[in-house]
Amino acid sequence: MHPPRRRLLLLLLSLGLLPAVTWALLAPPRFPGPDARPRAGAGNAVGGYEFETRYFRQRLDHFSFPGVGDEEFFQQRYLVGRAGGWAGPGGPIFFYCGNEGDIAWFAANSGLVWEAAPRFAALVVFAEANHLTNLHHLPLSLPLTHCCSALQHRYYGESMPFGSKDEAYNNSRSLAHLTAEQALADYAVLLTDLKRNLSAEASPVVLFGGSYGGMLAAWMRLKYPHISVGALASSAPILQFEDIVPRAIFYDLVSNDFKRESLGCFQTIKDSWKELDEQGNAQDGLLKLSKTFHLCQTLKSSEALSDWLSSAYSYLAMVDYPMSSDFLMPLPANPIKEVCRNIDKQPEGTSTLERIYAGVNVYYNYTGTVDCFDLDDDPHGMGGWDWQACTEMVMPMTSSEDLSMFPRYEFDYGLYADNCVKSFGVRPRPRWITTEFGGHNISSVLEKFGSNIIFFNGLLDPWSGGGVLKNISSSVVAIVAPLGAHHIDLRPATKEDPDWLVSLRESELEIISVWLSDHYGAGGVLFQNAATNDQAAS
């Protein structure tokens, strides 16, 4: 059986923009007062949070100096919201580092940033990242990352270089500027310009990010320490490179999440891969599989179905929240419990693959509104990750036969590299990320050179295997939630939130308040007033 491939999570999209020749410098942003209505077409809201959409003329390449007239630019989207009133120049700025997807999607699912802003009278900025990721099926060795930012990451959402997604994704030359280094430079340039336009050079910036966005937030704090006072890096697998952590850890943790709910469920999934292959190779087998799993089109290979199923299991482990959510898909609370219940409760005589369909239907069709399934659907536009995984984001992964419910798979770098050359015409640099940002001997390095970083990890999240799980110093701290899933701390507060989650978020905000207090010092009138107002309001 071919190794299963994964739809990379973490979530990053791309929409076309106007031709490059029409791009021009934008005027400095103007923010409506607390009681003023936004200008027509400028205001918007997502997840109940109001924001204004802005575009920033960003350099395509921050690390070269082309001649006059040869410079290339693109329009980078970012969202600005007051979330209760900014204290004004000098007041804090909460900046979300964009992920591998549409920024509005991450803004809607990062309620902590919006909900904490009034407490500190902070300005909220979400930036779109410049990445070309798609969360389509990738080899088992390619990670499912996703993170957050209010400035859209380049090559994702509407932040498309070269005027459109087709042009930006055209070939290795057009994709060459889709890197974490360029994204961090985007954020640094945008923040510097934004603060200057607002006469807010003295405003402290707090970085937020989840998943890949959390990695960017932590790395930005390290690479640009003068830009921010601290970073909350949630579910950031900054150690998932080379041989820093066991290569089997991701899929072992996914498997453990299912095993803790039901050993029978775990075993049914483990047994299903062989049956899927056997039926796929039988006469009319692909047609039968297509009918069993209610697919919109007849399968051309059983591997495509394996990809689709394994992606669902990995995503379910990531979003195994104790409350209902619609981050990746509309899902009930404790979705793995529901999946396993559906698999286990089928009547005697139900085939293994019919049980699997009953289970995975919870993930792909919990609302019951889907008539058939398109295996190539990418609802969150995360297609750029394939490129990143073939260049600098090389996260070797394996699947062990004993502990994993997935088929045995060994990472073969030679094959991996050959596939990247075939797909993009580039060869990966598997050691570049640790050279650029570190990773080996992380404790001693961050203790000596890092400060003011919170690393959050939920142990149900398979990405926690590549996360920082222990305090490194008094200001580089790890917050670990045994029952937490993928950046659950950043999610909007709900009435279903368990007490441990409420307490955990408060701990994070208390640490952030220390960063801001240290910044303002004894004369921190703005911050002190904001805190006083927040206490009075409560």
Side-chain angles (χ1 to χ4, degrees):
M1 174 177 178
H2 294 291
R5 306 168 59 167
R6 309 295 185 229
R7 302 185 65 165
L8 291 185
L9 173 81
L10 290 160
L11 313 153
L12 316 160
L13 323 168
S14 313
L15 300 175
L17 290 181
L18 296 173
V21 293
T22 68
W23 292 346
L25 286 170
L26 298 179
R30 287 178 255 173
F31 306 111
D35 299 321
R37 294 183 179 182
R39 293 177 291 108
N44 209 333
V46 63
Y49 309 116
E50 295 184 357
F51 60 83
E52 185 174 349
T53 301
R54 291 284 177 176
Y55 294 87
F56 180 75
R57 188 174 185 253
Q58 193 70 262
R59 288 187 180 277
L60 181 62
D61 184 3
H62 295 285
F63 305 108
S64 66
F65 292 85
V68 175
D70 293 330
E71 304 100 324
E72 294 180 281
F73 300 88
F74 70 98
Q75 298 288 62
Q76 187 162 31
R77 181 168 63 145
Y78 64 102
L79 316 179
V80 178
R82 289 184 184 248
W86 185 37
I93 297 174
F94 285 0
F95 185 86
Y96 191 86
C97 301
N99 293 52
E100 67 278 34
D102 192 296
I103 194 57
W105 176 35
F106 287 98
N109 286 279
S110 301
L112 177 68
V113 181
W114 299 97
E115 293 159 13
R119 172 171 176 169
F120 303 99
L123 181 71
V124 174
V125 180
F126 274 77
E128 200 157 54
N130 79 340
H131 282 53
L132 304 171
T133 308
N134 79 31
L135 291 189
H136 277 292
H137 313 305
L138 295 178
L140 182 104
S141 53
L142 299 185
L144 302 138
T145 60
H146 53 301
C147 327
C148 331
S149 158
L151 171 65
Q152 187 134 352
H153 197 299
R154 58 170 60 188
Y155 290 86
Y156 290 108
E158 296 181 15
S159 298
M160 247 355 104
F162 306 110
S164 71
K165 181 177 181 179
D166 287 343
E167 290 297 320
Y169 283 58
N170 186 41
N171 54 43
S172 59
R173 289 186 178 274
S174 59
L175 282 168
H177 304 290
L178 174 51
T179 67
E181 295 83 356
Q182 296 283 5
L184 295 183
D186 285 344
Y187 300 158
V189 170
L190 175 90
L191 277 167
T192 301
D193 188 85
L194 180 65
K195 291 171 70 174
R196 183 184 301 114
N197 287 338
L198 296 174
S199 299
E201 288 89 344
S203 290
V205 174
V206 178
L207 305 171
F208 295 82
S211 190
Y212 172 54
M215 297 164 74
L216 293 175
W219 289 339
M220 186 168 181
R221 174 61 186 158
L222 294 172
K223 301 295 284 190
Y224 297 94
H226 58 290
I227 296 291
S228 68
V229 298
L232 170 53
S234 180
S235 300
I238 64 169
L239 306 180
Q240 196 82 48
F241 299 95
E242 297 184 50
D243 56 354
I244 300 175
V245 297
R247 292 184 173 184
I249 189 67
F250 182 94
Y251 293 108
D252 283 353
L253 289 176
V254 173
S255 302
N256 288 343
D257 287 355
F258 282 82
K259 185 183 291 185
R260 69 187 286 271
E261 293 296 349
S262 164
L263 183 58
C265 174
F266 167 90
Q267 193 62 46
T268 298
I269 294 173
K270 189 177 181 69
D271 294 340
S272 69
W273 306 109
K274 181 179 178 181
E275 293 198 25
L276 192 156
D277 261 2
E278 290 177 348
Q279 188 168 136
N281 290 323
Q283 186 175 5
D284 296 327
L286 294 177
L287 179 60
K288 292 178 181 178
L289 286 174
S290 302
K291 291 181 178 180
T292 298
F293 287 91
H294 296 248
L295 305 183
C296 299
Q297 298 175 331
T298 302
L299 286 168
K300 295 181 179 179
S301 72
S302 61
E303 182 185 15
L305 182 56
S306 296
D307 296 348
W308 188 71
L309 293 172
S310 58
S311 296
Y313 302 142
S314 296
Y315 286 143
L316 282 161
M318 292 170 62
V319 297
D320 195 19
Y321 301 131
M323 72 289 290
S324 58
S325 70
D326 59 359
F327 176 44
L328 296 178
M329 296 285 190
L331 290 171
N334 304 301
I336 289 182
K337 183 185 295 291
E338 293 298 317
V339 169
C340 285
R341 180 180 293 133
N342 273 20
I343 288 176
D344 292 342
K345 76 177 182 181
Q346 298 304 309
E348 187 176 352
T350 303
S351 71
T352 296
L353 294 183
E354 288 174 328
R355 290 177 184 274
I356 293 298
Y357 171 73
V360 79
N361 200 47
V362 171
Y363 179 75
Y364 285 116
N365 191 24
Y366 182 64
T367 61
T369 58
V370 180
D371 295 326
C372 66
F373 300 104
D374 180 0
L375 302 193
D376 293 325
D377 186 29
D378 179 20
H380 302 300
M382 297 182 277
W385 189 258
D386 304 46
W387 163 265
Q388 289 185 266
C390 270
T391 51
E392 59 182 6
M393 293 292 173
V394 181
M395 299 181 177
M397 293 184 178
T398 64
S399 178
S400 61
E401 187 172 2
D402 295 334
L403 299 178
S404 175
M405 67 183 190
F406 297 94
R408 180 178 179 82
Y409 172 69
E410 293 295 331
F411 179 76
D412 183 333
Y413 175 73
L415 179 61
Y416 181 97
D418 289 345
N419 286 336
C420 290
V421 172
K422 181 179 179 180
S423 298
F424 297 106
V426 296
R427 193 166 293 278
R429 299 179 189 173
R431 296 183 178 86
W432 173 244
I433 283 294
T434 57
T435 301
E436 174 73 3
F437 299 114
H440 296 284
N441 303 315
I442 192 70
S443 295
S444 61
V445 171
L446 287 184
E447 184 176 11
K448 293 177 181 177
F449 305 110
S451 66
N452 290 5
I453 303 175
I454 302 170
F455 288 103
F456 166 79
N457 280 282
L459 297 187
L460 297 184
D461 176 18
W463 289 112
S464 66
V468 176
L469 302 178
K470 296 181 179 179
N471 290 345
I472 290 176
S473 69
S474 60
S475 68
V476 179
V477 300
I479 295 180
V480 177
L483 298 179
H486 203 55
H487 51 65
I488 188 175
D489 57 326
L490 294 180
R491 292 196 51 73
T494 73
K495 294 181 180 179
E496 303 172 78
D497 292 349
D499 291 342
W500 62 260
L501 179 57
V502 176
S503 177
L504 181 154
R505 288 181 177 136
E506 182 60 29
S507 296
E508 292 178 338
L509 296 181
E510 288 177 357
I511 294 172
I512 291 172
S513 72
V514 171
W515 298 343
L516 293 173
S517 294
D518 288 345
H519 170 82
Y520 289 116
V525 178
L526 273 174
F527 175 64
Q528 291 173 5
N529 285 348
T532 301
N533 292 339
D534 180 65
Q535 293 173 2
S538 61

